[in-house]
Amino acid sequence: MLEHPEPWSEDEYFAFGETSNRIELIDGSLWLSPAPSKRHQHIAFLLAMGLYAAAERSGFLVLQDVNLRLAGGRILQPDIVVADTDDLGTTVEAAEAKLVVEVVSPSNAGTDRLLKPQLYAAAGIAWYLRVEQPDDSVELHLHRLVDDRYAPAEVVGPGRTLASDEPFPFAVEVASLLRRRPRD
């Protein structure tokens, strides 16, 4: 446990440097999470790879586990951020983010389904993609910002493809996220 009587500042947050744990700063509080499950990481990696070429054609960068500054004192680390940014520095600003992706983990499902979308919406990020893992499967839930909250744009499951022209033209086959490495 870290003894810290005052709210954490961004300078103190960044003083941690690179860590093996996911540490997020929300309104002066630190939220710590261990590394996600292997399946979670594999899905996030495959999805990032599935989005990469389309994002690059649009001039965007696909980043995993990057610091995303939503506002002063609010820095989250989404599973994937597609942003109109370069690869220098340690932080993507909310105004640069075109799409934010969270792969829901059983241990923090409420955060990924409720809290984080509210924070992303408040920061004005136009698109949010939530990846659910029901019954050893995958569902993609694409949401668009409408006024100050996210509204469902499309939900696709196994055997289907999520295709959208916004925030950049892309198509991801759900089956491509279900690959398993053969055991020796």
Side-chain angles (χ1 to χ4, degrees), residues 84-144:
D84 186 6
T85 190
D86 56 34
D87 62 358
L88 303 175
T90 60
T91 305
V92 172
E93 300 297 329
E96 298 172 310
K98 303 302 176 188
L99 173 69
V100 176
V101 180
E102 292 288 353
V103 178
V104 176
S105 294
S107 62
N108 66 353
T111 301
D112 290 340
R113 290 182 187 133
L114 301 173
L115 176 63
K116 286 188 174 184
Q118 289 176 5
L119 296 175
Y120 297 144
I125 298 171
W127 292 89
Y128 172 67
L129 178 60
R130 190 179 75 242
V131 182
E132 295 282 351
Q133 303 177 60
D135 302 321
D136 202 32
S137 186
V138 173
E139 289 179 352
L140 302 177
H141 297 248
L142 183 62
H143 295 83
R144 179 185 192 132

Side-chain angles (χ1 to χ4, degrees), residues 1 4 29 31 34 43 51 54 56 60 68 78-79 81 98 108 127 152-154 163 165 167-168 173-174:
M1 298 295 286
H4 197 273
S29 297
W31 291 48
I43 290 169
L51 293 169
E56 186 178 49
F60 302 144
L68 175 62
D79 291 303
V81 176
K98 303 302 176 188
N108 66 353
W127 292 89
E154 190 168 0
D165 289 332
F168 56 95
E173 293 180 23
V174 174

Side-chain angles (χ1 to χ4, degrees), residues 7-14 23-31 66-78 81 90-95 97 100 102 114-125 148 150:
W8 290 86
S9 70
E10 282 191 23
D11 289 338
E12 292 170 319
Y13 170 82
F14 285 115
I23 302 174
E24 299 173 304
L25 177 65
I26 301 175
D27 299 334
S29 297
L30 295 182
W31 291 48
V66 69
N67 295 313
L68 175 62
R69 181 181 287 116
L70 302 178
R74 282 191 183 165
I75 300 173
L76 299 185
Q77 293 179 347
V81 176
T90 60
T91 305
V92 172
E93 300 297 329
V100 176
E102 292 288 353
L114 301 173
L115 176 63
K116 286 188 174 184
Q118 289 176 5
L119 296 175
Y120 297 144
I125 298 171
D148 60 349
Y150 288 111

